[in-house]
Every structure is written in C-alpha cells, then in structure tokens.
Amino acid sequence: MRLILMGPPGAGKGTQAKFVADHFGIPAISTGDIFRANVSQGTPLGVEAQRYMDAGDYVPDEVTNQMVRNRIDEPDAQPGFLLDGYPRTLAQVQELDGMIAFTGHSLDAVVVLTVDEDEIVDRLLQRALVEGRADDTEDVIRKRQAIYSEQTEPLIEVYRGRGILIEVNGMGEVDDVTERIFEALDVVPQS
Ligand code: ADP
C-alpha cells in the first residue's frame, strides 16, 4: 500500500498514522518527526529546518523533497509506506508522483481527516502543555492552520480529481476514527 494521510495541524494524523501503518505492515513516514529528530540531533538538516518550524512556516520544498526521497528509498519502504505530513504543497505532489512512478507503482489512496478547526486549536494547546513542542503556541498554531488552508488544502481537490481521495470524519474518540479509516481503506485495491 502507498498511502497519504492528510489533515490540518492537530487533526490527529500522527496518532492515526501509526495505527494504519501497523495494520498494513508498512512504515509510517512523518516529515514532522524526521525534522524534529534532526533538530534534536543538531544535524545540518535540523539546523536548516528549525527556523522555519519554529515560525510555523513550511520548510523549503527542495529540502523536504530530498529528505522524503532518501527515506522512501530505504529497504523497509519498498513494500509500501504511509506518508504523514507530506506532500503539503503542489510542488511536493509533483515530486512525489515522480518518486512513485520511478518504482513502477502508484499511489493507492489519500485519506483526509476532516475536523472542526476551533476544536483542534484547543487540542493543540493541550498538546503544548503535555509535549512542550516549540511550535505549539497559539500564534504559531493559527499561522500553521492558515498556511495549511492556503497551501495544502488545494491538494485535496487534486487527489479527488484522480479518484483516490477518501474523506474520513476525524472527530470523536481515537479508536472510532481508526475504525473509520480501516473500513474505508480495506476496500481499496492495492496496486
Ligand atoms: P503539524 O502538527 O503542524 O501537522 P508536523 O509535525 O507534521 O506538524 O510538522 C511540523 C513542522 O515541520 C511544520 O510546521 C513544518 O515547518 C515542517 N514540515 C513538516 N512536513 C513538511 C512538509 N511536507 N513541507 C514543508 N515543511 C514541513
């Protein structure tokens, strides 16, 4: 399976990504997690990414694309993968198309978690208290949402046009959302 999980910041992508990836026996690849790991290890990539992340801006496409390309070239991603947090721009969509075409496979489905934006600001502020992420202040959260609406939401129509979009209600209990995603994906034919 080659899957994308999309949704606004705070929609619960990271939580659901792990469950879905385990279900299909594929790695969950989270660009946010990879960036954060690089930041905490102080790698050159981390140093480059940090200033964008702290401001709530997207890391430049060339940097992100190269990082994803390297990750999906790894052996564990050959049977498939679930992308969490990528692609986020139209340029990333094109780049990903090229990466997947090169392997002779295709993208099987794009799952979008639909949520109530005001409710998720509360969720993110709560996460800020628990996890202490540097980019979880209210101003930065609102900015991340605005950038999502402007740059990432248009991707939904691109994938709808290809007939591979699946919208799932992301509100409610974590387990219920997981169940909804499984139900929707279990009928998707794998390429
Ligand atoms: P969120 O909770 O906002 O969805 P993520 O953990 O997915 O956060 O990402 C955190 C930050 O990492 C983003 O705000 C952005 O700066 C950077 N980032 C992650 N994925 C991408 C991407 N595909 N393109 C550009 N920047 C990205």
Side-chain angles (χ1 to χ4, degrees):
M1 280 296 246
R2 284 166 186 77
L3 304 170
I4 295 173
L5 187 58
M6 276 183 64
K13 291 187 302 286
T15 307
Q16 298 299 338
K18 293 188 182 67
F19 295 137
V20 177
D22 284 351
H23 183 75
F24 290 105
I26 51 178
I29 300 177
S30 157
T31 44
D33 283 353
I34 302 175
F35 282 133
R36 278 186 289 279
N38 278 276
V39 168
S40 60
Q41 288 157 23
T43 68
L45 175 66
V47 171
E48 161 98 21
Q50 185 167 26
R51 52 198 170 110
Y52 298 101
M53 296 173 72
D54 285 351
D57 288 320
Y58 286 170
V59 176
D61 284 335
E62 315 78 70
V63 176
T64 309
N65 287 334
Q66 191 53 47
M67 181 178 88
V68 171
R69 184 180 292 278
N70 293 340
R71 179 64 189 87
I72 68 179
D73 272 347
E74 284 178 34
D76 67 326
Q78 299 322 302
F81 47 79
L82 179 147
L83 294 169
D84 158 19
Y86 182 93
R88 269 175 148 107
T89 64
L90 290 166
Q92 292 179 11
V93 168
Q94 282 195 335
E95 197 71 17
L96 176 65
D97 285 343
M99 292 179 215
I100 295 180
F102 187 76
T103 67
H105 294 278
S106 50
L107 198 54
D108 296 295
V110 177
V111 175
V112 180
L113 295 178
T114 55
V115 291
D116 176 329
E117 296 229 349
D118 284 330
E119 199 154 322
I120 59 182
V121 173
D122 291 342
R123 249 196 227 176
L124 285 171
L125 289 170
Q126 199 58 35
R127 179 172 81 185
L129 295 175
V130 179
E131 294 179 13
R133 261 177 57 168
D135 58 350
D136 274 345
T137 61
E138 185 155 4
D139 282 356
V140 176
I141 290 168
R142 298 248 180 231
K143 178 158 173 200
R144 299 211 316 271
Q145 283 186 323
I147 294 181
Y148 175 85
S149 306
E150 192 182 298
Q151 300 207 37
T152 305
E153 230 164 33
L155 276 48
I156 293 176
E157 294 316 314
V158 172
Y159 289 123
R160 195 195 307 282
R162 295 186 191 179
I164 55 170
L165 187 79
I166 301 174
E167 283 171 295
V168 172
N169 175 7
M171 301 305 289
E173 297 298 319
V174 170
D175 291 355
D176 293 337
V177 177
T178 309
E179 205 45 53
R180 286 176 212 143
I181 298 175
F182 287 174
E183 264 171 36
L185 284 178
D186 281 340
V187 299
V188 170
Q190 300 184 28
S191 65

